[in-house]
Amino acid sequence: MPKAKRIVKNEAVNKAVNSAMDTLSSAGVECSKSLAAATKQAKSYLAEAKRLGKKRATLLKRKKTAAARLKKTANAINRKAHKEVEKDLAAVKKAIAKLTPVKSAHAIELASLKASLKRITTYTGVLDKADKLLNKPKKKKRKKRAKKAVAAA
């Protein structure tokens, strides 16, 4: 005798569907929290990069003037000023080199978080609309009036 196929109970199906919807909504909450934190971190990276870029630009100008001063009069004070500017510029370049890969990796993560949140939001919205449609009360049909019997004459 062949084995009878197992029939899934309605209760188990409902439980699975409800847990899946709960998981989706909790994933949405977690994703939005992560996105907020990542956005905050991205803003700080952006501000740091901007600050370092401005500092680098001013140091390049200062190096140019220090080099011109050193070329004009090569004394110990001008040499010291030129070396100090070069040392500061090297430190800023090193900081920029450290920040660039971290910032780009974070940007990739931020983009993927945004995409995930968009997917979750879309799925949740569609499921809410489907639930709304499925939970609509049935329209009551009016009973048809009985036709009057035609009097037989």
Side-chain angles (χ1 to χ4, degrees):
M1 189 165 159
K3 279 188 174 181
K5 289 186 179 178
R6 193 170 147 239
I7 297 173
V8 180
K9 301 282 183 186
N10 181 41
E11 197 175 297
V13 171
N14 281 339
K15 185 178 177 183
V17 169
N18 289 337
S19 69
M21 289 177 74
D22 290 342
T23 304
L24 185 66
S25 64
S26 65
V29 169
E30 290 299 316
C31 189
S32 63
K33 284 180 184 176
S34 298
L35 185 64
T39 304
K40 186 177 180 182
Q41 188 66 38
K43 284 182 181 178
S44 71
Y45 285 148
L46 191 65
E48 182 72 12
K50 190 174 182 180
R51 184 185 67 81
L52 288 172
K54 283 183 178 180
K55 191 170 187 177
R56 182 178 172 273
T58 57
L59 285 172
L60 284 173
K61 287 178 189 174
R62 199 179 301 163
K63 180 183 174 187
K64 188 176 178 182
T65 57
R69 218 178 285 135
L70 181 65
K71 192 175 183 182
K72 190 174 182 182
T73 51
N75 59 14
I77 296 170
N78 288 342
R79 264 194 299 278
K80 185 179 177 185
H82 188 263
K83 278 191 175 186
E84 192 175 304
V85 169
E86 282 185 335
K87 189 176 86 175
D88 289 345
L89 190 59
V92 168
K93 282 183 180 179
K94 191 175 179 182
I96 289 172
K98 273 186 182 178
L99 183 67
T100 303
V102 173
K103 189 177 135 192
S104 62
H106 193 76
I108 293 168
E109 179 65 24
L110 185 65
S112 62
L113 274 173
K114 284 181 181 178
S116 295
L117 185 63
K118 189 175 181 181
R119 274 182 67 195
I120 290 171
T121 305
T122 304
Y123 290 150
T124 307
V126 169
L127 287 174
D128 287 344
K129 286 179 184 176
D131 269 351
K132 193 174 180 182
L133 278 174
L134 290 173
N135 293 330
K136 262 188 180 177
K138 286 186 175 180
K139 287 186 177 179
K140 293 180 181 177
K141 289 186 178 179
R142 285 183 11 189
K143 289 184 179 179
K144 291 183 179 179
R145 292 184 189 172
K147 290 187 179 178
K148 292 181 182 177
V150 180

